[in-house]
Amino acid sequence: MWKSEEQTVNSKQQTAGNCFLLFIVCCLLFTSACRRDMQDQPKMKPFRSSTFFRDGLSARPPIEGTVARGLLKEDTEFFTGKRAGKSGATTSANASVAPGEPPAGPQPSVTTAGAQLQGAAAYPDDVEIFPITITKDVVTRGKERYEIFCSACHGLTGTGDGMIVRRGFRRAASFNDDRLRQAPVGHFFDAITNGWGAMPSYAPQIPPEDRWAIIAYLRALQMSQQNQAQNGSAPVATPGGTKQSGGHQ
């Protein structure tokens, strides 16, 4: 009877030992599985060379014709200020001009400066209607951007008497001239995007939505200055036949 109990105890201890050993083995297997390829993963770090590709580069160039999400720019009028289907509309709204090269947009010349065409007829490819909804917030945003980027040359009232003009730089055009009052909104967008005369391109600094906001504020500014001029409380705008100035022509 005693031997039977002793054998039973030994059998239980042996079973418990085997279970514990099996548990340890399973833990070791799981541990080794977790560490597999975790310290040395099969991946390429940025700018690391590779012997897999013929050119020796690990980073692959995008497929030809690939367009990043959100950069397709299907809305031609919004991104270029040009009428859809016009030849000038193919110019990218965010294209930058290399130093020493002429701007992408049309530039003032003897022919264009002396042309008798006025308003939309002088810029037939440019849109006349804003491609965005104009709200108070848009105009407020445009005022802020105008004072940052435009007022240094064109002045706070748009008469072309900005601070750098007062310091000797070429006088900028007055937005209060009848010629620019009648110009379509797309003309101003094109000038901001591609530059005009002595004015460089502001495309890298001002995104398209802010360019339209600036133009919306500019229209409001032109109306306010025109009303003041009619009431005799503001200087008369510079006539179109006066000496050609720098900047926006």
Side-chain angles (χ1 to χ4, degrees), residues 26-37:
C26 291
C27 289
L28 292 175
L29 290 175
F30 282 120
T31 303
S32 62
C34 290
R35 290 184 57 84
R36 184 176 183 181
D37 288 337

Side-chain angles (χ1 to χ4, degrees), residues 58-82:
S58 60
R60 310 314 304 153
I63 300 174
E64 184 178 357
T66 301
V67 178
R69 184 183 297 272
L71 297 180
L72 186 56
K73 300 181 181 178
E74 291 181 296
D75 191 343
T76 302
E77 296 183 353
F78 176 80
F79 287 105
T80 66
K82 302 292 183 181

Side-chain angles (χ1 to χ4, degrees), residues 83 86 117 119-128 184:
R83 301 175 187 272
K86 297 293 183 179
L117 297 177
Y123 313 100
D125 294 342
D126 298 331
V127 297
E128 301 180 50

Side-chain angles (χ1 to χ4, degrees), residues 103 106-109 112-113 123 149-150 152-155 158-162 164-165 168-175 177 179-180 187-188 190-192 194-202 243-249:
Q107 298 300 307
S109 62
T112 57
Y123 313 100
F149 294 105
C150 311
C153 294
H154 293 281
T159 55
D161 59 346
I164 67 170
V165 176
F169 195 75
R170 295 176 60 184
R171 184 176 182 84
S174 173
F175 294 129
D177 289 345
R179 176 176 57 83
L180 290 182
H187 169 63
F188 298 102
D190 181 46
I192 298 173
N194 300 308
W196 193 272
M199 172 183 167
S201 168
Y202 280 85
K243 181 180 179 180
Q244 181 178 349
S245 61
H248 189 139
Q249 292 294 326

Side-chain angles (χ1 to χ4, degrees), residues 183-221:
V185 293
H187 169 63
F188 298 102
F189 188 93
D190 181 46
I192 298 173
T193 302
N194 300 308
W196 193 272
M199 172 183 167
S201 168
Y202 280 85
Q205 297 97 325
I206 309 177
E209 55 270 20
D210 281 350
R211 295 174 217 168
W212 288 116
I214 290 174
I215 300 168
Y217 172 71
L218 177 58
R219 283 303 197 211
L221 187 64

